[in-house]
Amino acid sequence: MLKDILPEALYTSLVKKCLEQEINEVRIRVNKPIVVTCNNKSYFLSENGIGANPNQAIFASAELINDIVFKACDYSIYSVNEQLKQGFLMVDGGIRLGICGEVVKDESIKTIKNFSSLCIRIPHLIKNAALPIFNQVLNNGELNNTLIISPPGAGKTTMLRDLIEQFSNHNYSYNIFIADERGEIVGGNKYSFGLGHFFDSISFLNKKDSILFGIRSMSPDIIVTDELGAKCDFEALEYAFNCGVTVIATMHAKNIEELKSKNEFQDMLQKKYFKRIVVLSKQNKVGTIEGIYRENLTRIYGGAI
């Protein structure tokens, strides 16, 4: 996947000492050394591969960053401008390019130009990652609305993908609709993730419109979506709950206390819509389960399962 967006020489250096499937993130900043996170440890990238010496590192140029961005959008920057305005690009296989540069705006953001840095995040499939929580999502034959929370990069989306696949692996033929606003869950067309046999998806549409679209068009049993945040996201979820649809979603929060402090989430907590809340971290490894909670925030499990 990375080979499709990186210059050949850079990709060759990148995979000299680590496998592509071991790479978590590549950070490329103008006039700075390229930094690679591999197996959750950070290294500098040199022509001879990853290492600890910044003096041997490859320093990025503006031209290099431009080349990667234009290659990632198949040389049509206008076709991805709606994503670009939000500060990222998605590439087949679920690779996400976070982008910094100069924002062009009047009353609203028009685009980003003069790119100055990239954060290339590489997704990973971890088979059976969701098995420890599956029996809480589907408990004694009853589907539970489930929220997965963690800080960034702790495995929320990875867990979400495997949950979707687990329903297929267990031969539960629930119809699942994925509201994939950023295109990260399904992974695109060329390098899409498997995710089983019973899902439909719509990508790059805001969650509110996606959820309404899915309920009206696909009659789902379960709606899956990633990274809740805006007030309208929760309004759409409430509509889904009231339609009798089960929701499995993720949200940024490092623990239950931080979740409780989020103003947008107060109504969800008070009405106890989410019957299960799963807290992840990367304390031991990405996807470490710190706890599973009921809707009243009493703990079912704590620590690793």
Side-chain angles (χ1 to χ4, degrees):
M1 296 184 291
L2 283 171
K3 192 174 185 178
D4 292 341
I5 62 172
L6 297 180
E8 184 176 354
L10 191 66
Y11 179 80
T12 300
S13 298
L14 187 61
V15 296
K16 277 184 178 179
K17 294 182 180 178
C18 64
L19 300 174
E20 182 171 340
Q21 57 265 36
E22 297 173 334
I23 300 169
N24 307 104
E25 187 178 273
V26 182
R27 289 189 178 262
I28 305 176
R29 304 172 173 105
V30 170
N31 299 327
K32 301 289 185 181
I34 296 174
V35 177
V36 178
T37 303
C38 185
N39 288 326
N40 298 307
K41 294 182 179 180
S42 293
Y43 305 90
F44 296 105
L45 179 65
S46 73
E47 292 181 357
N48 296 317
I50 59 173
N53 190 344
N55 296 321
Q56 297 177 352
I58 299 170
F59 278 63
S61 64
E63 290 76 18
L64 172 63
I65 292 175
N66 282 334
D67 286 348
I68 294 171
V69 171
F70 280 95
K71 197 171 183 182
C73 68
D74 201 22
Y75 302 97
S76 177
I77 201 75
Y78 301 104
S79 67
V80 295
N81 196 52
E82 288 303 311
Q83 293 180 55
L84 193 59
K85 288 192 295 185
Q86 299 178 62
F88 72 92
L89 292 179
M90 291 305 304
V91 182
D92 266 352
I95 292 178
R96 181 175 178 176
L97 278 70
I99 300 175
C100 282
E102 294 181 19
V103 173
V104 179
K105 64 176 298 185
D106 42 36
E107 293 180 358
S108 61
I109 295 175
K110 297 300 182 184
T111 191
I112 297 177
K113 66 177 184 177
N114 297 332
F115 310 122
S116 58
S117 59
L118 300 176
C119 172
I120 305 174
R121 293 180 58 186
I122 298 90
H124 295 87
L125 276 178
I126 302 177
K127 294 293 185 182
N128 298 323
L131 274 181
I133 70 169
F134 186 76
N135 287 336
Q136 294 298 323
V137 179
L138 181 63
N139 186 243
N140 295 322
E142 180 179 353
L143 286 168
N144 287 316
N145 296 316
T146 301
L147 179 67
I148 302 169
I149 68 170
S150 83
K156 294 185 300 298
T157 308
T158 300
M159 189 72 74
L160 208 58
R161 291 189 196 102
D162 194 62
L163 266 177
I164 296 166
E165 189 165 8
Q166 289 301 328
F167 279 102
S168 184
N169 291 345
H170 287 77
N171 201 27
Y172 292 113
S173 54
Y174 294 113
N175 292 310
I176 299 172
F177 179 80
I178 304 172
D180 196 7
E181 182 174 3
R182 294 174 175 82
E184 290 183 277
I185 303 173
V186 176
N189 297 315
K190 187 177 180 181
Y191 296 114
S192 61
F193 299 112
L195 305 185
H197 309 297
F198 302 107
F199 79 91
D200 308 288
S201 67
I202 190 165
S203 300
F204 305 117
L205 181 65
N206 68 75
K207 292 183 186 66
K208 181 180 179 180
D209 290 338
S210 296
I211 289 169
L212 297 180
F213 177 96
I215 291 172
R216 292 168 181 168
S217 302
M218 305 308 297
S219 300
D221 302 297
I222 302 169
I223 286 177
V224 173
T225 194
D226 210 4
E227 296 192 13
L228 301 174
K231 182 179 178 180
C232 60
D233 295 348
F234 298 107
E235 292 172 348
L237 289 192
E238 186 161 17
Y239 177 78
F241 294 140
N242 291 331
C243 289
V245 180
T246 297
V247 172
I248 302 173
T250 74
M251 187 174 173
H252 287 306
K254 65 182 179 181
N255 52 39
I256 290 293
E257 290 305 312
E258 186 173 306
L259 179 67
K260 289 162 61 177
S261 72
K262 291 181 178 288
N263 292 330
E264 298 84 357
F265 195 66
Q266 294 306 307
D267 193 50
M268 295 281 114
L269 280 176
Q270 291 172 9
K271 294 180 179 178
K272 299 179 180 178
Y273 280 128
F274 285 105
K275 302 303 180 184
R276 295 292 183 267
I277 300 174
V278 179
V279 182
L280 303 180
S281 78
K282 46 185 175 182
Q283 181 174 349
N284 299 318
K285 61 178 181 178
V286 171
T288 298
I289 299 171
E290 296 291 344
I292 302 176
Y293 296 80
R294 300 179 182 89
E295 67 269 29
N296 60 3
L297 303 185
T298 57
R299 181 150 38 188
I300 300 172
Y301 295 113
I305 298 177

Short mmCIF file of all heavy atoms in Angstrom, two decimals, residues 217-243:
data_model
loop_
_atom_site.label_atom_id
_atom_site.label_comp_id
_atom_site.label_asym_id
_atom_site.label_seq_id
_atom_site.Cartn_x
_atom_site.Cartn_y
_atom_site.Cartn_z
N SER A 217 -32.37 3.55 3.50
CA SER A 217 -32.10 2.79 2.27
C SER A 217 -31.79 1.32 2.50
O SER A 217 -32.13 0.48 1.66
CB SER A 217 -30.90 3.43 1.53
OG SER A 217 -31.15 4.77 1.22
N MET A 218 -31.14 0.98 3.62
CA MET A 218 -30.59 -0.37 3.76
C MET A 218 -31.19 -1.19 4.90
O MET A 218 -30.85 -2.35 5.08
CB MET A 218 -29.06 -0.28 3.97
CG MET A 218 -28.32 0.48 2.89
SD MET A 218 -28.69 -0.08 1.20
CE MET A 218 -28.07 -1.76 1.25
N SER A 219 -32.08 -0.60 5.70
CA SER A 219 -32.73 -1.30 6.81
C SER A 219 -31.74 -2.11 7.64
O SER A 219 -31.85 -3.34 7.78
CB SER A 219 -33.84 -2.23 6.27
OG SER A 219 -34.81 -1.50 5.59
N PRO A 220 -30.76 -1.47 8.22
CA PRO A 220 -29.73 -2.21 8.95
C PRO A 220 -30.19 -2.66 10.33
O PRO A 220 -31.07 -2.05 10.94
CB PRO A 220 -28.60 -1.18 9.08
CG PRO A 220 -29.32 0.14 9.15
CD PRO A 220 -30.51 -0.01 8.23
N ASP A 221 -29.57 -3.75 10.80
CA ASP A 221 -29.74 -4.16 12.19
C ASP A 221 -28.73 -3.42 13.07
O ASP A 221 -29.02 -3.14 14.23
CB ASP A 221 -29.50 -5.67 12.33
CG ASP A 221 -30.44 -6.49 11.47
OD1 ASP A 221 -31.66 -6.41 11.70
OD2 ASP A 221 -29.96 -7.19 10.55
N ILE A 222 -27.56 -3.16 12.50
CA ILE A 222 -26.47 -2.52 13.24
C ILE A 222 -25.88 -1.40 12.39
O ILE A 222 -25.66 -1.58 11.19
CB ILE A 222 -25.35 -3.54 13.56
CG1 ILE A 222 -25.89 -4.71 14.38
CG2 ILE A 222 -24.19 -2.87 14.31
CD1 ILE A 222 -24.91 -5.87 14.50
N ILE A 223 -25.61 -0.26 13.02
CA ILE A 223 -24.87 0.81 12.36
C ILE A 223 -23.52 0.94 13.05
O ILE A 223 -23.43 0.96 14.28
CB ILE A 223 -25.62 2.16 12.42
CG1 ILE A 223 -26.80 2.13 11.44
CG2 ILE A 223 -24.69 3.33 12.09
CD1 ILE A 223 -27.65 3.39 11.48
N VAL A 224 -22.45 1.00 12.26
CA VAL A 224 -21.09 1.15 12.77
C VAL A 224 -20.53 2.47 12.27
O VAL A 224 -20.64 2.77 11.07
CB VAL A 224 -20.19 -0.03 12.30
CG1 VAL A 224 -18.74 0.23 12.69
CG2 VAL A 224 -20.69 -1.34 12.88
N THR A 225 -19.93 3.24 13.16
CA THR A 225 -19.30 4.49 12.75
C THR A 225 -18.13 4.81 13.66
O THR A 225 -18.01 4.26 14.76
CB THR A 225 -20.32 5.65 12.70
OG1 THR A 225 -19.77 6.76 12.00
CG2 THR A 225 -20.75 6.08 14.11
N ASP A 226 -17.27 5.72 13.20
CA ASP A 226 -15.99 5.97 13.86
C ASP A 226 -15.88 7.44 14.28
O ASP A 226 -16.38 8.33 13.60
CB ASP A 226 -14.86 5.63 12.87
CG ASP A 226 -13.59 5.16 13.56
OD1 ASP A 226 -13.60 5.02 14.78
OD2 ASP A 226 -12.60 4.92 12.84
N GLU A 227 -15.22 7.69 15.40
CA GLU A 227 -14.82 9.02 15.84
C GLU A 227 -15.99 10.00 15.97
O GLU A 227 -16.07 11.00 15.25
CB GLU A 227 -13.72 9.58 14.93
CG GLU A 227 -12.45 8.76 15.00
CD GLU A 227 -11.26 9.44 14.33
OE1 GLU A 227 -11.35 10.64 14.02
OE2 GLU A 227 -10.24 8.76 14.13
N LEU A 228 -16.88 9.71 16.90
CA LEU A 228 -17.95 10.65 17.22
C LEU A 228 -17.35 11.92 17.80
O LEU A 228 -16.31 11.90 18.45
CB LEU A 228 -18.90 10.03 18.25
CG LEU A 228 -19.59 8.72 17.87
CD1 LEU A 228 -20.36 8.19 19.06
CD2 LEU A 228 -20.51 8.93 16.67
N GLY A 229 -18.04 13.05 17.58
CA GLY A 229 -17.51 14.28 18.13
C GLY A 229 -18.50 15.43 18.08
O GLY A 229 -18.79 16.06 19.10
N ALA A 230 -19.06 15.70 16.91
CA ALA A 230 -19.93 16.85 16.74
C ALA A 230 -21.32 16.58 17.32
O ALA A 230 -21.76 15.43 17.40
CB ALA A 230 -20.05 17.21 15.26
N LYS A 231 -22.00 17.63 17.70
CA LYS A 231 -23.35 17.52 18.25
C LYS A 231 -24.28 16.80 17.29
O LYS A 231 -25.12 15.98 17.69
CB LYS A 231 -23.90 18.91 18.58
CG LYS A 231 -25.28 18.89 19.22
CD LYS A 231 -25.74 20.29 19.55
CE LYS A 231 -27.15 20.27 20.15
NZ LYS A 231 -27.63 21.65 20.48
N CYS A 232 -24.13 17.10 15.99
CA CYS A 232 -25.01 16.47 15.00
C CYS A 232 -24.77 14.96 14.90
O CYS A 232 -25.68 14.21 14.53
CB CYS A 232 -24.86 17.13 13.63
SG CYS A 232 -23.20 17.06 12.94
N ASP A 233 -23.56 14.49 15.24
CA ASP A 233 -23.30 13.05 15.26
C ASP A 233 -24.22 12.37 16.27
O ASP A 233 -24.83 11.33 15.99
CB ASP A 233 -21.85 12.76 15.65
CG ASP A 233 -20.84 13.27 14.64
OD1 ASP A 233 -21.24 13.64 13.53
OD2 ASP A 233 -19.64 13.28 14.97
N PHE A 234 -24.32 12.96 17.45
CA PHE A 234 -25.12 12.36 18.52
C PHE A 234 -26.62 12.49 18.24
O PHE A 234 -27.40 11.61 18.62
CB PHE A 234 -24.76 12.99 19.86
CG PHE A 234 -23.32 12.75 20.25
CD1 PHE A 234 -22.40 13.77 20.19
CD2 PHE A 234 -22.89 11.49 20.64
CE1 PHE A 234 -21.07 13.55 20.53
CE2 PHE A 234 -21.58 11.26 20.97
CZ PHE A 234 -20.66 12.28 20.93
N GLU A 235 -27.01 13.55 17.56
CA GLU A 235 -28.40 13.69 17.16
C GLU A 235 -28.80 12.58 16.19
O GLU A 235 -29.89 12.01 16.28
CB GLU A 235 -28.64 15.06 16.55
CG GLU A 235 -28.53 16.20 17.54
CD GLU A 235 -28.59 17.57 16.88
OE1 GLU A 235 -28.48 17.62 15.62
OE2 GLU A 235 -28.72 18.58 17.60
N ALA A 236 -27.89 12.26 15.26
CA ALA A 236 -28.15 11.19 14.31
C ALA A 236 -28.20 9.83 15.01
O ALA A 236 -29.03 8.98 14.68
CB ALA A 236 -27.08 11.17 13.22
N LEU A 237 -27.32 9.64 16.00
CA LEU A 237 -27.34 8.38 16.75
C LEU A 237 -28.65 8.22 17.50
O LEU A 237 -29.21 7.12 17.56
CB LEU A 237 -26.17 8.32 17.73
CG LEU A 237 -24.77 8.14 17.17
CD1 LEU A 237 -23.81 7.81 18.31
CD2 LEU A 237 -24.72 7.05 16.12
N GLU A 238 -29.14 9.30 18.08
CA GLU A 238 -30.41 9.21 18.82
C GLU A 238 -31.54 8.81 17.89
O GLU A 238 -32.41 8.03 18.27
CB GLU A 238 -30.72 10.54 19.50
CG GLU A 238 -31.95 10.45 20.39
CD GLU A 238 -32.03 11.57 21.41
OE1 GLU A 238 -31.32 12.57 21.26
OE2 GLU A 238 -32.81 11.42 22.38
N TYR A 239 -31.51 9.33 16.68
CA TYR A 239 -32.50 8.90 15.69
C TYR A 239 -32.40 7.40 15.43
O TYR A 239 -33.41 6.70 15.37
CB TYR A 239 -32.30 9.69 14.39
CG TYR A 239 -33.22 9.29 13.26
CD1 TYR A 239 -34.54 9.70 13.23
CD2 TYR A 239 -32.75 8.48 12.22
CE1 TYR A 239 -35.39 9.33 12.20
CE2 TYR A 239 -33.59 8.10 11.18
CZ TYR A 239 -34.90 8.53 11.18
OH TYR A 239 -35.74 8.15 10.16
N ALA A 240 -31.16 6.90 15.29
CA ALA A 240 -30.95 5.47 15.06
C ALA A 240 -31.45 4.65 16.24
O ALA A 240 -32.14 3.63 16.06
CB ALA A 240 -29.47 5.18 14.81
N PHE A 241 -31.13 5.07 17.46
CA PHE A 241 -31.60 4.36 18.65
C PHE A 241 -33.12 4.27 18.66
O PHE A 241 -33.71 3.23 18.95
CB PHE A 241 -31.13 5.06 19.93
CG PHE A 241 -29.64 5.05 20.13
CD1 PHE A 241 -28.99 6.18 20.63
CD2 PHE A 241 -28.87 3.93 19.85
CE1 PHE A 241 -27.63 6.18 20.84
CE2 PHE A 241 -27.50 3.93 20.04
CZ PHE A 241 -26.88 5.05 20.54
N ASN A 242 -33.77 5.39 18.34
CA ASN A 242 -35.23 5.44 18.37
C ASN A 242 -35.87 4.64 17.25
O ASN A 242 -37.06 4.34 17.31
CB ASN A 242 -35.72 6.90 18.33
CG ASN A 242 -35.38 7.65 19.60
OD1 ASN A 242 -35.29 7.05 20.67
ND2 ASN A 242 -35.19 8.95 19.51
N CYS A 243 -35.07 4.31 16.23
CA CYS A 243 -35.55 3.45 15.15
C CYS A 243 -35.31 1.97 15.45
O CYS A 243 -35.62 1.11 14.64
CB CYS A 243 -34.85 3.81 13.83
SG CYS A 243 -35.36 5.39 13.13
#
